[in-house]
Amino acid sequence: MTSQISKQFAAIIVFVFMSVIYLHAQQSDADAMLNQLAQLKRIEAMQPDSIGPKYQLALQSLNFAVMNPHAAQTDNVLAQAEQTIGQMEKMKGMDQSDLCTLKGFLLMVRIVQNPAQNGQRYYLDVMQNYEKALKLNPDNTLARQLQEKFLEGMKQATGPNRQ
């Protein structure tokens, strides 16, 4: 039984690794990203009690949304990500630092979609989620990177060089 679980986990890791490489090679191709999301959704459906596939589905959905904030599919992708994050909140063993990172990323995408409407509304929540993630796990690289990108984007949006 354990070896079958290990094989499934190894297969997921290989798939995710290949997907990340593929997505980086095809970042400008929204259709390729949507296909990858569909594959992740199938894997997640096959393992509904597993955190790993849900985490990757949510993360890649948010990556798609931040790179394609105004694409026709973005609202559906974001709704799916939000639902997946909600499911993860209820799971035992979910890393709270990772959960806070995903929540912050979701709100950050909302700001990217509509800065004028959502910037003030979600700014504090984004910062609080990233800060909590880093307090829970100071080695959370994704939380640190997203926090830095967010602060950089906010400086550009409000700085003296704004056009």
Side-chain angles (χ1 to χ4, degrees), residues 21-48:
I21 291 172
Y22 182 75
L23 284 175
H24 284 294
Q26 300 290 327
Q27 282 184 347
S28 64
D29 189 356
D31 290 336
M33 291 180 81
L34 289 170
N35 287 335
Q36 292 298 315
L37 288 175
Q39 290 176 352
L40 283 169
K41 189 165 174 66
R42 284 191 291 276
I43 290 172
E44 185 273 332
M46 291 187 307
Q47 299 180 8

Side-chain angles (χ1 to χ4, degrees), residues 79-90:
Q80 176 62 52
E82 193 166 15
Q83 179 183 3
T84 302
I85 292 168
Q87 291 170 348
M88 292 167 60
E89 282 181 299
K90 299 172 187 171

